[in-house]
Amino acid sequence: MKTMFDEMAKSPAAWLSSAGKESLVVLSTRVRLARNIAGCNFPESADIETKKKVISYVDSVVTRSKKMSDGLYFKAPDIDSLDKDFLIERHLISPHFLNGEFDKALFISKDEQCSIMINEEDHLRIQALEPGLNPRGAFDRALQYEQEIGKYLEYNYDPDFGYLTSCPTNAGTGMRTSVLIHLPGLVLTREIEKVISHISHSGLIVRGFYGEGSDALGNLFQISNQTTLGVTEEEILKQIERVTKDIIEKEASARKRLLEETSEIIEDKIWRAYGILKNARVLTSEEVMNLLSAVRLGHATKMLNFLDVSLLNDILLLSQPAHLQKYYGAEMDNNQRDFVRAQMVREKLRDIE
């Protein structure tokens, strides 16, 4: 398995390509469906035997399903701490999944655009990832796997309340839709708090790069729906797309204003960030994310039009601690990582311009 993850680290994440809509602002879209198996207690209240039974049910589905036959399927005891961190960085599992308990499992589709966490907060957390702004595409992908599993297992569903979940805030559709969006213009013009307040009043929630409880590193934010009960999947998808497009317009206005009012300062910030990335000998992952934010802004405003978004996304992912260690095939302490990270970034930018 370690070899597999090492190879995965050397390949770009499909959901982080530059092929998606609005890719200069929106990095990716995710849809997650929460489902529980009828007749089994939810994971939060289930005993070990029940959790093992759920895993055995999923074992059977993976074995029998043609759609899932070419995917990767792991049990929690086989995933070590570095692998766990790698999967979190790649957005294939939630940060608290695999914490301590071994009665869990994970399915990853061959293209990495769908992953299924077994015995997380719910029996099944089916998530799909798409590059750019594409809520419909992510939903359709997640739904394909949800329906495939539904051929073999009955979901816990109530005619009045919809899909029943461990946490009542996920009941109904059981669907969370989110976009990972880059908002340096709104941060630099100090309008971000006002925009976040507007988003919150729209019934959505704003989180950091790794979701709940994480910081907005590199001016990257996750925006997702809060309401899952009393609304349809279609309404959630339309709301996310509508609000995201409104934020994109606000970000575009903020960037335009920055270039009109403080062009020399912004140009210096962008070129300074690029110079540091291209020449630094020591870099933390946080530094890389913040510097990449400025460089990404430079690319979007055509100051650094010789760069490619896919390259920036590649550096973003590889600069994360677990990815860096997997990429170079060696475990490293903090100081070693900071040195090797700078080396990796220099190598990636060496032949640019």
Side-chain angles (χ1 to χ4, degrees), residues 2 79-86 88 322 331:
K2 285 183 178 295
I79 303 175
D80 65 22
S81 59
L82 182 59
D83 292 331
K84 174 194 166 186
D85 291 342
F86 173 82
I88 292 170
E331 293 194 22

Side-chain angles (χ1 to χ4, degrees), residues 169-182:
T169 58
N170 289 320
T173 60
M175 184 170 92
R176 296 279 182 180
T177 305
S178 64
V179 293
L180 181 60
I181 190 167
H182 182 228

